[in-house]
């Protein structure tokens, strides 16, 4: 098995490189690599296309500009299509040795992937998962169709789903305020938190369907007015060839 740590993101929300982010004097990359070493010595970094800087581990550049998380897995299978790849986001600050041992120990090489279900939504987590070589053809097919959602790709695979050691094991660090929450969590342990959802992102197709439903629900329902003295007054079936709109009535 080989390990791939995803470091090619722009860290726009955090405002600085997350792999080099230090917590209690240890960078996220150093912490994660220490967790991975008992499982494999072959650790690679997923980096952006054109990144020629020096790295602590061998780098696998993206094969195309801004491909998203699946671009890292694409580069990994391009480097070694016969390898089993452990893929990890670089900012999993709460991931433990126990989690990785469970992930590796429960991996079934006859299945395409092994992953944790995220306790927040019970969906498979693609950025802390093991991908078998048999997942490579499906990845190529998905990318050929420009399907780049990592979670949807993982959901399409034949996989083993696991439960992480703690509800917060898969929490990542996306924003500066998450560092404050991390320190509080380390100091006091888990606490209840009220969350207000201000925006909920949907996939493009789902959002389009919902927009059509909203538009239809706001349309005024037409009423048909028929002259009671017409020859069609007693007809059981009327076929309309042309319809005129008069206000809300047809």
């Amino acid at each position: 098995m080989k390990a791939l740590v995803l470091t090619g993101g722009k860290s726009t929300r955090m405002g600085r490189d997350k792999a080099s982010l230090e917590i209690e004097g240890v960078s996220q990359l150093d912490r994660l690599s220490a967790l991975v070493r008992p499982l494999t010595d072959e650790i690679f970094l997923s980096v952006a296309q054109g990144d020629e800087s020096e790295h602590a581990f061998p780098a696998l550049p993206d094969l195309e500009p801004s491909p998203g998380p699946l671009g890292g897995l694409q580069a990994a299978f391009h480097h070694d299509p016969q390898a089993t790849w452990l893929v990890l986001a670089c900012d999993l600050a709460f991931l433990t040795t126990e989690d990785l041992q469970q992930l590796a120990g429960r991996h079934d090489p006859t299945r395409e992937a092994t992953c944790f279900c995220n306790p927040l939504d019970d969906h498979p987590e693609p950025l802390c998962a093991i991908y078998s070589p048999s997942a490579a053809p499906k990845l190529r097919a998905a990318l050929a169709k420009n399907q780049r959602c990592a979670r949807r790709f993982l959901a399409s695979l034949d996989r083993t789903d696991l439960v992480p050691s703690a509800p917060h094991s898969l929490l990542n660090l996306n924003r500066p305020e998450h560092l404050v929450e991390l320190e509080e969590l380390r100091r006091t342990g888990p606490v209840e938190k009220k969350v207000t959802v201000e925006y909920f992102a949907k996939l493009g197709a789902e959002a389009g369907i919902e927009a059509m439903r909203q538009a239809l629900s706001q349309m005024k329902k037409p009423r048909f007015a028929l002259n009671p003295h017409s020859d069609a007054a007693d007809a059981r079936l009327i076929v309309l060839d042309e319809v005129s709109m008069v206000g809300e009535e047809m």
Side-chain angles (χ1 to χ4, degrees), residues 43 50 170 200:
I43 302 175
L170 301 179
F200 181 74

Side-chain angles (χ1 to χ4, degrees), residues 3-243:
L4 180 72
V5 181
L6 303 174
T7 65
K10 298 179 180 179
S11 301
T12 304
R13 289 173 291 178
M14 179 59 74
R16 49 179 164 160
D17 177 40
K18 291 191 287 186
S20 61
L21 192 65
E22 292 191 359
I23 298 175
E24 297 181 347
V26 180
S27 73
Q28 289 303 287
L29 179 57
D30 287 343
R31 177 185 178 278
L32 202 58
S33 60
L35 295 179
V36 170
R37 278 197 182 96
L39 304 177
T40 177
D41 289 328
E42 296 189 79
I43 302 175
F44 296 81
L45 300 184
S46 168
V47 301
Q49 186 182 60
D51 184 346
E52 299 180 354
S53 57
E54 294 186 5
H55 297 280
F57 299 95
L60 299 180
D62 291 335
L63 303 183
E64 53 189 277
S66 304
L70 285 183
L73 185 58
Q74 178 191 30
F77 277 132
H78 179 77
H79 175 75
D80 189 347
Q82 299 305 316
T84 295
W85 287 94
L86 167 63
V87 176
L88 297 169
C90 67
D91 59 345
L92 296 172
F94 296 100
L95 195 67
T96 66
T97 301
E98 178 185 350
D99 291 318
L100 289 184
Q101 287 177 341
Q102 181 188 187
L103 196 64
R106 295 285 301 278
H107 179 62
D108 181 351
T110 66
R111 309 191 77 174
E112 293 165 336
T114 303
C115 65
F116 290 114
C117 285
N118 197 312
L120 294 178
D121 55 18
D122 203 34
H123 288 162
E125 176 51 60
L127 306 187
C128 182
I130 295 176
Y131 296 87
S132 298
S134 56
K138 287 192 175 181
L139 176 64
R140 289 193 296 269
L143 294 177
K145 298 177 183 177
N146 201 32
Q147 296 173 353
R148 298 183 177 274
C149 175
R151 178 166 283 189
R152 174 169 284 186
F153 170 69
L154 178 58
S156 73
L157 299 181
D158 174 39
R159 65 187 191 277
T160 300
D161 293 340
L162 305 175
V163 177
S165 63
H168 56 276
S169 290
L170 301 179
L171 293 180
N172 53 9
L173 304 175
N174 284 324
R175 302 176 183 275
E177 54 265 32
H178 293 168
L179 293 174
V180 178
E181 294 182 1
L182 171 63
E183 179 59 32
E184 186 67 15
L185 187 58
R186 289 183 182 277
R187 188 174 63 84
T188 64
V191 295
E192 290 188 3
K193 181 179 180 181
K194 181 179 180 181
V195 176
T196 301
V197 178
E198 297 179 351
Y199 174 78
F200 181 74
K202 292 187 176 181
L203 297 177
E206 293 175 340
I209 292 173
E210 182 63 24
M212 292 178 62
R213 286 175 177 164
Q214 292 291 336
L216 289 173
S217 68
Q218 295 174 10
M219 291 177 61
K220 295 180 179 179
K221 296 181 180 179
R223 298 195 306 270
F224 293 91
L226 184 66
N227 186 341
H229 303 293
S230 71
D231 294 337
D234 297 324
R236 298 181 63 183
L237 174 66
I238 299 175
V239 178
L240 300 178
D241 182 34
E242 294 183 4
V243 178

